[in-house]
Each structure stands twice: as C-alpha cells, then as structure tokens.
Amino acid sequence: MKVAIIGAGLSGLACAHALETKYNIKPDIFEKNSYIGDSYNHVTAILEVFHRPYGNCIDYFNNKLNLQIKPLNELKKVIHISPNNFKAISGNLGYLFLRGRFENSLKNQVYKQLKKSKINFNTFADYTTLKDKYDYVIIADGSINSTRQICCYQEWLNPVVIGVTAYGKFKKDTLIVWLNKKYCNKGYVYLAPFDEKKAFIGLVITDIKKHEAPEYLKLFLAMENINYTIEEEFTVMHKTGYVYPHKINNIYLVGTASGGIDPFLGFGQLNAFITGAKAAKSIALEKNYENLLKKQIDHITNLYEYRKLYDSATNDSYDKLLNFISIPGIKQFIYDSNIDVVKYSGNLLHYKRILSKKTNGKI
C-alpha cells in the first residue's frame, strides 16, 4: 500500500507513526521545510478540563498512541486576570509543551520515534498530483488552503496571534491568562514559561488586521505594567473553522487541515495527534473516517459554543466569571471532577441558543 503524507507537523508525524508501528505501512512524507519543528519558538498547553474525553493526555499518548511524550512541565496553577479581578486555580491542571526547533520540542519528540517512514525535506507536494500516484494522500500541511479547494469549509475564527519572548522571573508550573477587551478584543493573552528565566507571551486577538497587532501588544504591556525584557518573535494568522467531509475519495484531511484547531483557546496539538492516528486506522483497517472522528468533531463543536459565549462577553462579564469559577462548589465541579464539562455545558449552550432564536431572545 502506498501512502503519501503532505507535511511533517504533529498530525502528519502522528499518522506516520501509527501507520508504521501499528499497521506495518511505510508512508512517504513530503515536508516543504528543511527541518522538523515550528518556525517560531513558543509554549502551548493542554488543559485537562477541556480534554476530559481522552483522560490524562500523557497517558493517552503512551497507552493509546504508543508515543513516549515528555511535557515541558506539569501545569499546577492557572492565574486569571481580568480588568478588576484576580483569581488563581491550583491543582493537576494539565501540561505545558515546548514548540519550535528545539531538540525536545513536541514535533521532534515524535519525529525521533519514527523508524521506517521516509521524509523528503525541502519538497513542496501537491495533492492533485500525488492522488494519482498513491493509494492514499494525507493532507497535514498545517493550513486550510487545500481544504477550501476540495470540501466544505466554514470559517469560525480568524484571529491574529502576536508572540514575544519575555525575560524575567517565572514559575515553571504556572500559566497566566489576561482577559480585557481593550487590548485583546474578542481574545485573550497568555504567558507560559520556558523555564524560570524565560517565558512566552501570546496575544490571541480576533477581528483585527495583522498589521494592527503590534499596537495591541504595546497597549497590553502598558496597561498591565509588564516590565519584563521583551523580544518580539512573530505575528501570524490562526484560522479555525468547520470542515466536512474529512475524506474525499483517497484524500484524508488531518490536523489544521481537518478543522482541528480548538476554536475556544486556539490550541490544536491533541487534535493533531488524534486526527493523524484516526486517519491511519481508517486507511489500514478500512474504517469509516467520519465515524472515527465523530467524538472529536462533537468536542470541537461544543468548544465553539463556549467561544461564541466568550465573544459576547464584556469586561464586567470577565470580572463576574472569575468570581463564579472560584466559588468552592463550582471550582470542584469544573477542575476537580471527572465530569466532561465541555460536553454537557456545550450542549446546554447550543440548545439555549436555539431556544432563544425560536422565542426571539425571550427565554
């Protein structure tokens, strides 16, 4: 069986790993860059509360995907800062992961565990050509450009991400999140540490132009009195949306190309692993890819309900939200239980919105 994978990102590498280790299929991988890793260095998170259907993500990687993944750090505290409020949540909240060209970055960890797959670096691959030469083609190029050409794509969000490296004193197990309409519009700012002396600050801002992002960064730094030494790293667009179908003839969409970016927080690494592994299973065992992805698509759709509610919030709402999530009973329900909060509350938000439309907002 001949399988081509376009892109050596997380989803493409996860797909290749599953094909070769579980199904003894050796794919050809085409990577336009000369290296494995992201083009910019940053830190991302997998928050346990938003991924309960899969349990502990490290256990999921190890036990379900047979991947030995080591996080940058465990996440023990999240500090939320709104215009007039400050709340800290502590516990086993998830993990932080290193992204970029570092030897121990998330992509390089997966890459090092490949044994048979051939990677063609500095090679731009076109699915329209490969689909006639291979039995299956996996589009894992980290974009939705091909997706728009071959299937239905409905854009949900088109935020600008501006990221910087900050130097100062940080706690390795602590994530800081700022919520303020003035400098993040319908978005947020987060700080995730590389180590005790260096951290990544990312502004995820919706409904602005890319060239406007530096002004929002300046406003954030001034309003929050950030006095770290700052080095600007990058500004990128970060599209996310709904995709259907995820397989067209012998072409599979995985990762970002499959709509795998989390529409609520904008992280996508766990979705990348899942879609890559599911595509491999579908190919090897002739399973229906849409059925294999149903759980994940439902999860992403529920997160989109959260995002719509978040986008409609005001600064006053942010202040009240932080008070709400820190109420002892509510805090335990959200952070210290095994309940799939996203599933149940996402469904509730969806039905409430439908009911509101039917009653012209009077519910």
Side-chain angles (χ1 to χ4, degrees):
M1 184 184 294
K2 295 181 63 179
V3 179
I5 299 175
I6 302 176
L10 284 180
S11 59
L13 293 172
C15 183
H17 181 269
L19 285 170
E20 69 172 45
T21 59
K22 289 188 175 184
Y23 310 113
N24 199 30
I25 297 172
K26 176 184 167 184
D28 293 329
I29 305 174
F30 300 89
E31 171 54 50
K32 64 181 180 180
N33 295 316
S34 61
Y35 57 87
I36 295 294
D38 302 282
S39 57
Y40 46 87
N41 299 328
H42 61 296
V43 178
T44 59
I46 293 181
L47 301 177
E48 189 273 341
V49 66
F50 292 117
H51 295 285
R52 292 227 171 107
Y54 304 98
N56 181 291
C57 68
I58 300 300
D59 291 341
Y60 182 85
F61 293 146
N62 293 344
N63 300 330
K64 298 295 184 180
L65 304 183
N66 195 30
L67 279 167
Q68 306 304 307
I69 299 297
K70 184 178 180 180
L72 179 62
N73 283 300
E74 290 186 54
L75 184 59
K76 294 294 187 180
K77 180 182 286 188
V78 177
I79 296 173
H80 304 81
I81 302 172
S82 64
N84 299 293
N85 214 336
F86 176 103
K87 299 294 180 182
I89 302 294
S90 298
N92 297 316
L93 303 177
Y95 299 91
L96 297 171
F97 294 90
L98 187 61
R99 306 296 298 270
R101 301 193 202 181
F102 303 103
E103 184 178 351
N104 59 334
S105 71
L106 195 54
K107 287 182 184 178
N108 269 304
Q109 288 190 56
V110 183
Y111 173 57
K112 291 174 183 177
Q113 295 176 62
L114 294 182
K115 303 299 181 184
K116 305 174 183 177
S117 304
K118 178 184 177 182
I119 298 184
N120 302 278
F121 289 103
N122 297 309
T123 305
F124 177 81
D126 183 359
Y127 74 89
T128 61
T129 301
L130 294 181
K131 69 182 178 64
D132 297 322
K133 298 180 179 179
Y134 286 83
D135 298 310
Y136 298 99
V137 176
I138 313 294
I139 298 180
D141 58 4
S143 77
I144 48 83
N145 294 332
S146 297
T147 303
R148 284 175 162 169
Q149 297 174 14
I150 61 179
C151 69
C152 175
Y153 174 77
Q154 177 188 349
E155 188 168 283
W156 282 346
L157 298 169
N158 188 18
V160 176
V161 179
I162 181 166
V164 300
T165 300
Y167 294 89
K169 293 183 179 180
F170 308 99
K171 293 185 177 180
K172 293 194 301 182
D173 62 355
T174 299
L175 181 75
I176 304 175
V177 180
W178 289 268
L179 309 173
N180 192 314
K181 289 282 187 178
K182 290 184 178 180
Y183 54 69
C184 58
N185 204 11
K186 298 176 183 178
Y188 64 96
V189 182
Y190 79 96
L191 181 151
F194 289 98
D195 52 40
E196 294 95 338
K197 297 180 180 180
K198 184 171 72 170
F200 172 75
I201 297 178
L203 284 76
V204 185
I205 315 168
T206 57
D207 296 340
I208 69 166
K209 303 294 184 182
K210 187 175 180 179
H211 70 269
E212 297 174 323
E215 292 302 316
Y216 282 82
L217 173 62
K218 290 179 183 178
L219 185 59
F220 161 70
L221 295 174
M223 289 185 63
E224 297 297 343
N225 193 28
I226 303 297
N227 54 13
Y228 304 126
T229 299
I230 296 293
E231 292 183 1
E232 186 170 334
E233 294 285 342
F234 65 88
T235 303
V236 296
M237 305 301 293
H238 201 55
K239 299 178 186 293
T240 182
Y242 179 78
V243 173
Y244 188 84
H246 299 87
K247 176 182 179 293
I248 304 89
N249 298 320
N250 67 333
I251 300 172
Y252 282 77
L253 302 172
V254 300
T256 299
S258 72
I261 297 294
D262 168 358
F264 184 48
L265 295 177
F267 298 137
Q269 52 262 348
L270 187 56
N271 295 336
F273 280 106
I274 293 169
T275 54
K278 296 296 185 183
K281 182 176 182 179
S282 174
I283 289 171
L285 303 182
E286 298 183 350
K287 298 288 186 179
N288 184 288
Y289 189 44
E290 299 299 335
N291 290 343
L292 292 177
L293 288 185
K294 186 178 185 308
K295 178 180 178 181
Q296 187 64 11
I297 299 307
D298 289 345
H299 182 69
I300 290 174
T301 302
N302 284 328
L303 285 172
Y304 184 47
E305 294 297 329
Y306 273 82
R307 184 64 196 221
K308 285 184 286 189
L309 178 65
Y310 178 82
D311 285 351
S312 67
T314 63
N315 277 347
D316 182 58
S317 301
Y318 295 155
D319 293 333
K320 292 177 180 177
L321 174 65
L322 297 194
N323 284 330
F324 177 75
I325 64 174
S326 60
I327 296 173
I330 299 297
K331 176 183 176 297
Q332 274 73 35
F333 174 77
I334 296 175
Y335 293 100
D336 300 331
S337 73
N338 293 319
I339 298 171
D340 188 350
V341 177
V342 171
K343 176 181 177 180
Y344 294 108
S345 56
N347 287 335
L348 179 62
L349 289 172
H350 175 69
Y351 292 130
K352 181 179 179 180
R353 184 167 55 83
I354 293 176
L355 182 60
S356 180
K357 286 183 178 180
K358 290 181 178 180
T359 58
N360 296 319
K362 297 177 181 179
I363 57 175

